[in-house]
Amino acid sequence: MSQAVAARYQSQPAGTPIQNQVQNQIQNKESKLNAHVHGRMAAAPERVPQVFWCPDLVSTRDLGPAGVDAILHLAGIMKSHPADFRRALTGKQMVMFFEKPSLRTRLTFEAGMAGLGGTAMFVDQTHERIDVRENLSDVAHNLERWVDLIVLRTFSQQTIEGMAQHASVPVINALSDLEHPCQALADYLTLLERFGNGKDRRLAYIGDGNNVAHSLLLTCACLGSSIRVATPPDYAPNPQIVADARQIAEDTGAEIQLLTDPHEAVVGADAIYTDAWTSMGQEKEEVERAKIFPPYQVNTELMAEAASHAVFMHCLPAHRGLEVTDAIIDSERSLVFEQAENRLHVQKAILYLLLGGGDRLPARSAHA
Ligand code: CP
Ligand code: NVA
């Protein structure tokens, strides 16, 4: 690691609760919150990176507060100093299997890996689930012989968990029906950039209590931030995710509120977030959902009830005229393309940390 980069790692203010947690986690190489990941068969890098390391990113829970903090911090460094990391993962190979379509996730992982000097391969798995032709553990034991890292976009969260269980190389969740951890990390980096601090901002999520909402809940909990989630009564977030987020919040002081009234949720909010009413894989429910969700549309009237500085957020793809109107997504309050850009920087940080990139920084740096 170059001295300049090492210095930037150490530039976080010392003594904050999160900073102390990072230090404890480095010393103990585990925490109560992500202890469950340590039973997995992931190969540890030769040297644990200076900041944080965990074997896989299957769930935001794998990171815990220290990991979320480390990724946001490192993503900020990588965004402002990309040249320092251009050969950080030289020789590393990543494969992506996607059971669902993607624009942002696929391209930001590919561009991110290329930007770190590594190689990406893409397998279009949209015609058949990954484990249909061949047992998942057999797929895992093939892949681990060829590549250094596996990225999965699946329907079932269990597929990603199973791959992480069987493969001895890191596995990253690039969206499942249950979680979208990379998205929520990019979203909180965007809030941090906009407001100078993601933690002290109040996020109101309006719409379906689904994968993106789940990851926002868990990330917010890890950061000790504040979130209100307003959904139709039958579309509330998964109770286990909510219980886990609340358990993390006990340590971090995060505030989590589940509501059904979108108007109540947006009062005082700094950011209004929405997602598709009908997610990938739910197409058969589209007509029914289109009857239930209209009161949850983010439009000029709803935004007017939030703080005057409130921003609009969406993971994209957006369904204009359904969950959000053109007037809002195209307005100056909209951060959607900042969020999309930050997918790149956050995922570079994730790749770097999971692959133990601290050992692979360029020997010479323009900033050294
Ligand atoms: N937000 C997001 O994950 O976009 P894609 O589905 O295009 O990857
Ligand atoms: N909830 C959406 C997110 C897309 C990025 C879906 O799963 O389709």
Side-chain angles (χ1 to χ4, degrees):
M1 179 182 302
S2 74
Q3 285 181 346
V5 173
R8 275 185 220 116
Y9 280 152
Q10 288 153 11
S11 66
Q12 289 187 85
T16 64
I18 289 292
Q19 177 73 5
N20 292 338
Q21 248 173 325
V22 172
Q23 292 305 334
N24 291 339
Q25 194 139 9
I26 291 165
Q27 280 155 20
N28 301 335
K29 298 194 185 62
E30 64 178 11
S31 74
K32 187 177 74 173
L33 291 167
N34 76 348
H36 72 279
V37 304
H38 289 276
R40 295 196 191 132
M41 291 162 50
E46 287 170 18
R47 279 189 278 150
V48 175
Q50 295 298 304
V51 182
F52 178 84
W53 176 77
C54 71
D56 305 289
L57 176 50
V58 172
S59 162
T60 307
R61 287 168 286 203
D62 292 346
L63 301 172
V68 169
D69 193 59
I71 285 170
L72 295 186
H73 181 68
L74 182 57
I77 294 170
M78 291 181 132
K79 185 172 181 175
S80 55
H81 297 85
D84 282 5
F85 298 88
R86 270 202 187 118
R87 290 190 287 141
L89 297 183
T90 298
K92 292 291 181 184
Q93 301 193 47
M94 169 181 90
V95 69
M96 300 185 285
F97 285 78
F98 279 31
E99 292 180 343
K100 299 178 179 179
S102 171
L103 174 71
R104 281 148 291 274
T105 308
R106 174 180 177 174
L107 290 175
T108 50
F109 266 113
E110 290 189 357
M113 194 59 169
L116 296 171
T119 309
M121 289 168 275
F122 183 78
V123 181
D124 179 355
Q125 201 66 47
T126 53
H127 59 289
E128 186 179 77
R129 309 279 161 102
I130 292 166
D131 54 356
V132 168
R133 179 169 178 258
E134 199 167 351
N135 182 294
L136 188 65
S137 67
D138 288 343
V139 177
H141 293 314
N142 279 271
L143 297 180
E144 69 190 7
R145 301 288 178 114
W146 304 324
V147 299
D148 302 289
L149 187 132
I150 302 164
V151 178
L152 296 184
R153 169 167 284 202
T154 61
F155 289 88
S156 166
Q157 177 79 1
Q158 282 75 41
T159 305
I160 305 178
E161 288 171 3
M163 187 69 85
Q165 195 69 46
H166 294 296
S168 63
V169 295
V171 173
I172 297 176
N173 180 345
L175 180 145
S176 69
D177 287 346
L178 192 66
E179 289 192 50
H180 197 0
C182 303
Q183 179 68 52
L185 288 162
D187 298 334
Y188 271 96
L189 177 63
T190 308
L191 281 172
L192 192 156
E193 290 174 340
R194 177 70 171 210
F195 294 112
N197 181 337
K199 174 184 181 322
D200 295 335
R201 295 294 159 174
R202 294 162 65 133
L203 183 67
Y205 176 93
I206 312 294
D208 190 15
N210 195 23
N211 44 14
V212 171
H214 293 159
S215 293
L216 289 170
L217 275 164
L218 290 167
T219 308
C220 165
C222 287
L223 286 166
S225 190
S226 166
I227 190 168
R228 289 184 190 147
V229 176
T231 66
D234 291 340
Y235 297 86
N238 176 292
Q240 186 60 57
I241 294 277
V242 174
D244 290 347
R246 290 205 159 120
Q247 189 196 344
I248 296 168
E250 281 176 23
D251 289 342
T252 64
E255 292 174 21
I256 294 168
Q257 262 187 291
L258 302 189
L259 305 166
T260 53
D261 182 355
H263 304 280
E264 189 182 347
V266 301
V267 172
D270 302 296
I272 314 299
Y273 197 122
T274 192
D275 182 16
W277 291 345
T278 303
S279 284
M280 293 180 281
Q282 298 173 334
E283 288 78 7
K284 284 185 186 151
E285 300 172 30
E286 190 168 358
V287 173
E288 188 189 346
R289 285 170 173 265
K291 291 180 199 153
I292 293 165
F293 278 90
Y296 295 82
Q297 183 186 67
V298 179
N299 51 33
T300 307
E301 291 71 35
L302 191 66
M303 285 298 286
E305 296 172 31
S308 56
H309 63 262
V311 295
F312 171 72
M313 302 179 79
H314 193 306
C315 55
L316 303 180
H319 307 84
R320 290 163 176 262
L322 295 179
E323 73 266 13
V324 62
T325 57
D326 286 344
I328 296 303
I329 195 169
D330 293 332
S331 73
E332 288 187 354
R333 305 172 84 169
S334 174
L335 297 186
V336 297
F337 300 120
E338 281 77 7
Q339 294 171 258
E341 180 189 340
N342 282 335
R343 294 292 305 278
L344 174 69
H345 307 297
V346 152
Q347 285 157 206
K348 283 172 78 173
I350 294 166
L351 291 171
Y352 184 84
L353 290 177
L354 263 60
L355 286 171
D359 291 341
R360 293 184 175 77
L361 279 168
R364 284 185 299 141
S365 159
H367 303 276

